[in-house]
Amino acid sequence: KELLVEGKPFFIKGIAYQPTPIGYNVAEYDIFSDANIYNRDFKLLREMHCNTIRTWARVTGKAFLDAAYNNGKDPIYVIMGIWINPHTLDYSNPLHRKSVIEEFESYVKEFKDHPAVLMWSIGNEQNAWYKGDVSLWYSLVNDMAKASFKIEGENYHPVTTPNGDIDNIGDTPKNADDNSMNYLDLWGANVYRGDTFGSLF
């Protein structure tokens, strides 16, 4: 399958993007509201011919996306991350699941029509950090992807989740196979294999 942007095949040349000023941790500073940071960086990224960024946290402002899209001139598309804490949430708790899905639905509704949006990215390496039954995590991702599809319809943006390496992918008992993840469009994998990809491929 191909990723299409405005009806044309799109090849991602991108980076993960969550710069945090010295002296802050990532949860203490909203870089999406600091035009000095992202305008500085977007200029450099365009010079590198970067066309895509992926965020970990939820994008908080339209101005950030406007600057990325740049009125369609050398646009930088955004893989819209949403952080889900793997340490404080119980994915077996229906109230926790409902809360996470509703937050994601509001995110999709807020930004789905912005031209800078490339896709949605749910969580980050939960399979490596969550201490409970990881099959519940994968079923939550699928429920979230289903929710975004219901909101966006046929013109939906793809949904991905950054997995910790390729562990569990395709594992039926973990709800991580194609039948269980029938609303997830593509897997992400954060791969730590040293100087090469080793045996990954």
Side-chain angles (χ1 to χ4, degrees):
K1 295 194 175 187
E2 290 182 310
L3 177 64
L4 303 179
V5 172
E6 297 180 358
K8 298 178 182 177
F10 185 76
F11 184 80
I12 291 174
K13 295 176 285 186
I15 64 164
Y17 185 79
Q18 197 81 29
T20 304
I22 293 170
Y24 295 89
N25 72 40
V26 72
E28 294 176 329
Y29 198 90
D30 178 12
I31 66 101
F32 306 115
S33 297
D34 193 332
N36 290 323
I37 291 178
Y38 62 71
N39 284 328
R40 172 202 67 192
D41 294 346
F42 288 168
K43 178 180 182 294
L44 297 171
L45 292 174
R46 288 188 175 94
E47 290 173 1
M48 295 166 53
H49 305 290
C50 173
N51 64 13
T52 306
I53 57 174
R54 171 229 159 175
T55 72
W56 276 263
R58 177 175 175 165
V59 173
T60 56
K62 179 178 174 290
F64 175 84
L65 294 175
D66 290 343
Y69 189 64
N70 198 36
N71 291 315
K73 184 177 184 336
D74 297 324
I76 296 172
Y77 293 94
V78 183
I79 299 174
M80 304 278 286
I82 184 166
W83 177 254
I84 300 170
N85 197 316
H87 305 296
T88 61
L89 288 178
D90 176 3
Y91 301 144
S92 69
N93 185 321
L95 293 178
H96 288 190
R97 294 173 72 92
K98 182 174 183 286
S99 174
V100 169
I101 291 169
E102 287 177 348
E103 181 188 0
F104 184 54
E105 287 173 332
S106 73
Y107 191 36
V108 172
K109 288 174 183 176
E110 183 176 4
F111 293 118
K112 66 184 177 64
D113 295 322
H114 198 287
V117 175
L118 185 65
M119 65 181 77
W120 311 105
S121 178
I122 299 173
N124 186 68
E125 298 184 10
Q126 251 76 355
N127 63 304
W129 298 108
Y130 184 56
K131 300 305 181 188
D133 180 355
V134 76
S135 69
L136 296 168
W137 161 248
Y138 291 120
S139 68
L140 176 60
V141 169
N142 197 60
D143 288 348
M144 293 171 73
K146 181 178 180 179
S148 71
F149 180 77
K150 284 186 173 181
I151 292 167
E152 294 196 278
E154 291 301 317
N155 294 318
Y156 71 97
H157 293 90
V159 177
T160 186
T161 184
N163 208 55
D165 210 281
I166 58 173
D167 299 339
N168 307 136
I169 295 177
D171 190 338
T172 301
K174 297 277 188 359
N175 289 331
D177 59 299
D178 286 346
N179 288 331
S180 300
M181 304 293 284
N182 58 331
Y183 280 92
L184 186 74
D185 295 289
L186 65 149
W187 287 99
N190 294 335
V191 178
Y192 307 98
R193 301 284 178 101
D195 292 338
T196 74
F197 284 106
S199 59
L200 178 67
F201 294 106

